[in-house]
Amino acid sequence: MNLRTIFIVFLKELRETLRDRRSIIAMFVVPTVVIPAVTFGFALTSVKLVKKARQEIPTVMVLGGEDSPRIRAVLEKQKTFRVLPPGDDFAEQISQKKLRAALEIPPHFDAALDRGERVAVTIYSHDGEMRSSFAVEAVERVLRSHRDNIVRQRLAEHGLAPEALRPFDTKRENVAPPEKVGGNVFGGFIPYLFIILCFTGAMYPAIDLTAGEKERGTLETLLCSPAARSELVIGKFLVVLCASLATVSAALVSMGGSALIAGASWMHLTASAHGGTFPTVSVPGMIGVLVLVLPLAMFFSALLMTIALLAKSHKEAQTYVSPLMILAVLPAAAAVLPGVELTNTLALVPILNIALVSKELVAGSFPVVPLLLIFVSTCVYAAGALALAVRMFHRENVLFRT
Amino acid sequence: MIDARGLTKIFRDKKRGEFRAVDDVSFHVSPGQIYGLLGANGAGKTTTLRLLATLLTPTEGEATVAGFDLRRESERVRGQVGFLATSTALYGRLTARELITYFGRLHRMPDELIATRIEQLANELEMHEFLDRRIDKFSTGMKQKTSIARTLIHDPSVMIFDEPTLGLDVMAARTIVRFIRDCRARGKTVLYSTHVMSEVEKLCDTVGIVHQGRLLDQGSLAELRARHGEQDMEEIFVRIVTAAEAHA
């Protein structure tokens, strides 16, 4: 095998890839612009929608209570929701989102309270509907306040202070370092994103340099050269690997930038307010994740090239490769499930092993034995996939499939 | 020089079973000679040429190309062959100069020699105007010239053409025909496949008639005419193929 030939093939394929608009979009635009825009855009829109929903004064229909002037007065006096007169079709109105909630007061409610009897009011709502749940919260707040007033009165009648019912308070304080907090917050998300980007970054060039070449008729031209097929595969593989790593690096830079901005905003907010811990991630841990991404990117690149080479066109290759995306994402998603913890056996399961150990790494812990097992096993899988790609490049029925 | 002895290529297919695309084909082409493989579509011409260009491996038989063994020295064979076919397309995202340089480097030529050869080829083929433009913007004629320069960059001693004029307009086809003649004039060994009878009559020193993978007859145009008592190449071809089918 001639290293100079591999380098010549690599340089030419890299030049072509960098001149392809679709590759540039997949490698740089998606991780640096599209993903942050979609993530931040989604978060901003959600915040705005919730804020708008909270600003709305909900409508609440009060059913009954004509014989209970005290509770009626409380409900009429409050300003957090608008009381509507009773109607028979309240359930229909709530379902159709014309009414946010309804409150049913049982007969003789005030009198029953005076007698010290326990009574219940019913709140009708639309489960899963945000504005309805805000209306329920508002009604409950008013009713809770009314109940607390009654309790205070009863305690006073018996010469007791309100503290008699609340002898002590509880308060919570975080003692975990910020990277441990960050590990739990981002531990599942970061490797998940890296695994997807590692895959998508390799996907387009892998198809373009194999099935794409077949479709354009340039593969036969290339095979006429004296370069050995293994040299051609390795040269192409290195470009696919670079594309995958470039996508992950672009995402890392973009995420790092976003984290810095978010961190600065947090510091600004907490300096004037209550304080708190901004979740961070362990920097050595992140470096560890990146080291593990390398053999994973090699594995994906070789595997994608092997599969795409079976196709005779770009479109056909996409049909073969797209289901693989689900296979790559599923283990990454499984790592986020509660109870799925890193063991020496799971350290041998490709993709899942990296997702699991990444959770530990970003939280700042370095389990040495599983780490070694994961690195070595992923390297072995990558080497196996590359050997398979080279083998496929020697198969005439694959290269000259028409 | 090309020397093929009993070349056979069997494809195994789940639907068709065993299929002999090339069956016991033997012929010899000397330097400064054009050998034309004449046959209908699917006769086995492309497979024969791909075997000799080492793109495919023969199932049986032997061959030497430019003195190198097809099986044991495939990389050296490719180093001596210029292969041009309608299926050998160009990289659209490269310029003509980048593409020719790339293939020169794959032939392990030093960059200075590649630059000199490109100048020489650009002069001969009148390519200066578009040498540094991207190929995906080229006309068919420009692409043809770039393909020719690509096959000649390493100055191969053997040229293999697989239906090189297929789908080309008259002017582009004439450029190719002139180029093939030039190759012969420079003493290169030329192997050429076509199903166009008029091209065979214009170009070939020796003709081999291929049908269903077998080489049915071969010889110079004069020999074939004398042997089959016909002047018209098309009539000769039909007579040979019909006789073979009747015999089968």
Side-chain angles (χ1 to χ4, degrees):
Chain A
M1 204 181 299
N2 187 308
L3 288 179
R4 187 173 173 265
T5 308
I6 292 173
F7 186 64
I8 290 166
V9 174
F10 168 76
L11 277 186
K12 176 261 165 191
E13 300 293 6
L14 185 66
R15 175 179 279 168
E16 268 215 300
T17 301
L18 291 175
R19 283 182 187 171
D20 181 32
R21 198 180 301 146
R22 286 174 293 185
S23 294
I24 296 294
I25 290 171
M27 263 194 285
F28 301 113
V29 180
V30 169
T32 55
V33 180
V34 178
I35 291 179
V38 169
T39 313
F40 280 104
F42 183 75
L44 273 177
T45 312
S46 306
V47 168
K48 275 189 179 170
L49 284 175
V50 172
K51 199 177 168 185
K52 198 179 164 195
R54 285 220 180 266
Q55 281 169 349
E56 178 195 285
I57 294 176
T59 48
V60 176
M61 188 181 280
V62 176
L63 309 162
E66 291 82 1
D67 54 4
S68 303
R70 288 203 301 276
I71 181 71
R72 291 288 314 193
V74 166
L75 294 172
E76 301 290 347
K77 207 169 66 185
Q78 59 71 40
K79 290 189 173 62
T80 51
F81 54 86
R82 192 154 58 87
V83 175
L84 295 187
D88 291 337
D89 60 343
F90 69 90
E92 181 71 17
Q93 284 196 51
I94 292 171
S95 296
Q96 289 180 2
K97 301 180 186 176
K98 290 177 184 167
L99 178 69
R100 299 299 177 206
L103 170 66
E104 187 177 21
I105 299 166
H108 317 300
F109 180 78
D110 283 352
L113 288 179
D114 290 342
R115 288 194 299 273
E117 289 172 14
R118 192 178 174 85
V119 281
V121 295
T122 309
I123 303 170
Y124 299 98
S125 67
H126 186 319
D127 278 357
E129 214 279 301
M130 188 173 60
R131 286 165 202 257
S132 180
S133 70
F134 289 164
V136 172
E137 277 175 29
V139 172
E140 281 181 336
R141 229 175 0 254
V142 169
L143 292 175
R144 206 179 305 125
S145 166
H146 182 53
R147 187 171 58 197
D148 289 349
N149 284 338
I150 294 169
V151 169
R152 262 196 296 275
Q153 273 175 19
R154 287 179 182 175
L155 288 171
E157 282 166 14
H158 290 86
L160 292 169
E163 287 74 25
L165 285 184
R166 201 182 172 95
F168 64 89
D169 285 329
T170 57
K171 66 173 187 176
R172 291 197 304 183
E173 202 166 304
N174 172 50
V175 291
E179 63 266 23
K180 291 273 181 193
V181 178
N184 279 332
V185 175
F186 306 120
F189 169 71
I190 289 175
Y192 183 76
L193 192 69
F194 277 7
I195 287 167
I196 291 176
L197 287 171
C198 199
F199 187 91
T200 53
M203 194 167 89
Y204 185 77
I207 292 174
D208 193 53
L209 299 187
T210 52
E213 279 228 34
K214 269 196 207 177
E215 191 175 10
R216 294 188 293 270
T218 50
L219 189 61
E220 192 168 335
T221 316
L222 183 61
L223 295 174
C224 295
S225 77
R229 292 191 182 169
S230 51
E231 292 161 356
L232 298 177
V233 179
I234 294 172
K236 284 171 178 285
F237 161 78
L238 289 174
V239 174
V240 179
L241 177 64
C242 280
S244 175
L245 294 176
T247 309
V248 173
S249 307
L252 188 70
V253 170
S254 159
M255 280 163 57
S258 307
L260 281 177
I261 296 166
S265 312
W266 175 275
M267 298 300 272
H268 179 72
L269 280 172
T270 53
S272 56
H274 49 79
T277 312
F278 180 70
T280 60
V281 292
S282 155
V283 174
M286 283 301 290
I287 294 169
V289 174
L290 286 178
V291 170
L292 288 175
V293 160
L294 180 67
L296 184 70
M298 288 165 68
F299 175 60
F300 279 153
S301 303
L303 191 67
L304 285 168
M305 275 179 66
T306 307
I307 290 163
L309 191 64
L310 294 171
K312 59 184 177 188
S313 69
H314 226 280
K315 206 171 171 183
E316 189 185 343
Q318 274 179 331
T319 314
Y320 294 162
V321 161
S322 300
L324 266 188
M325 174 93 162
I326 299 164
L327 286 181
V329 168
L330 271 181
V336 190
L337 295 175
V340 183
E341 297 293 336
L342 184 63
T343 61
N344 286 350
T345 313
L346 288 183
L348 298 174
V349 180
I351 307 168
L352 176 66
N353 55 7
I354 289 180
L356 283 172
V357 83
S358 297
K359 275 181 9 180
E360 307 279 337
L361 290 173
V362 293
S365 72
F366 291 82
V368 179
V369 175
L371 262 176
L372 278 174
L373 274 174
I374 291 166
F375 189 79
V376 172
S377 66
T378 312
C379 283
V380 170
Y381 299 140
L386 185 59
L388 190 64
V390 172
R391 200 181 153 89
M392 292 304 260
F393 240 79
H394 280 90
R395 286 181 58 173
E396 292 169 356
N397 59 343
V398 170
L399 293 178
F400 293 98
R401 194 186 146 216
T402 51
Chain B
M1 186 263 287
I2 297 173
D3 189 27
R5 300 174 299 279
L7 272 188
T8 301
K9 181 67 183 176
I10 300 170
F11 290 117
R12 287 174 182 87
D13 191 288
K14 275 181 188 167
K15 284 180 192 160
R16 291 192 294 182
E18 204 170 80
F19 171 68
R20 283 179 173 262
V22 177
D23 193 1
D24 196 21
V25 168
S26 303
F27 60 89
H28 180 90
V29 193
S30 301
Q33 194 190 27
I34 299 176
Y35 186 103
L37 275 179
L38 183 64
N41 291 336
K45 305 185 297 289
T46 298
T47 308
T48 306
L49 300 193
R50 281 178 174 172
L51 287 172
L52 292 166
T54 77
L55 299 178
L56 298 174
T57 312
T59 313
E60 289 161 24
E62 302 288 330
T64 50
V65 175
F68 297 112
D69 185 87
L70 204 63
R71 292 174 190 273
R72 287 187 297 275
E73 299 167 296
S74 59
E75 286 172 24
R76 300 186 81 170
V77 168
R78 288 199 295 277
Q80 286 298 319
V81 169
F83 185 82
L84 184 69
T86 38
S87 55
T88 49
L90 303 170
Y91 292 104
R93 289 175 223 143
L94 298 184
T95 65
R97 190 190 297 278
E98 286 167 348
L99 180 119
I100 302 164
T101 305
Y102 176 52
F103 279 91
R105 284 177 179 160
L106 289 179
H107 281 282
R108 292 170 196 170
M109 293 167 69
D111 281 0
E112 303 77 43
L113 181 59
I114 293 172
T116 313
R117 281 287 293 161
I118 288 177
E119 269 310 299
Q120 207 179 336
L121 291 167
N123 285 334
E124 282 176 29
L125 297 163
E126 296 172 355
M127 290 177 65
H128 282 291
E129 194 193 324
F130 57 88
L131 200 55
D132 292 304
R133 275 165 44 194
R134 269 173 66 157
I135 293 167
D136 50 12
K137 303 276 190 287
F138 281 9
S139 66
T140 312
M142 290 169 176
K143 282 182 184 165
Q144 276 303 325
K145 287 180 177 181
T146 311
S147 282
I148 292 170
R150 191 267 303 165
T151 55
L152 286 180
I153 184 68
H154 56 296
D155 196 17
S157 60
V158 174
M159 294 297 298
I160 299 179
F161 299 94
D162 184 17
E163 306 214 40
T165 56
L166 191 73
L168 296 183
D169 62 33
V170 178
M171 297 311 285
R174 280 173 78 94
T175 309
I176 294 287
V177 169
R178 197 172 59 233
F179 166 59
I180 294 170
R181 281 206 186 103
D182 284 352
C183 287
R184 175 172 54 190
R186 290 178 200 185
K188 295 185 190 299
T189 306
V190 181
L191 177 61
Y192 171 78
S193 86
T194 187
H195 61 268
V196 183
M197 310 293 162
S198 59
E199 276 183 10
V200 171
E201 287 175 324
K202 262 193 268 180
L203 278 172
C204 299
D205 301 304
T206 311
V207 181
I209 299 200
V210 194
H211 183 64
Q212 291 179 342
R214 295 186 70 85
L215 186 63
L216 300 179
D217 200 354
Q218 60 181 322
S220 67
L221 285 170
E223 282 168 354
L224 287 174
R225 280 172 182 149
R227 203 178 299 152
H228 297 280
E230 272 289 347
Q231 287 302 303
D232 185 50
M233 196 59 220
E234 192 173 312
E235 283 303 319
I236 295 171
F237 177 80
V238 171
R239 189 171 286 188
I240 293 171
V241 168
T242 312
E245 279 180 350
H247 192 255

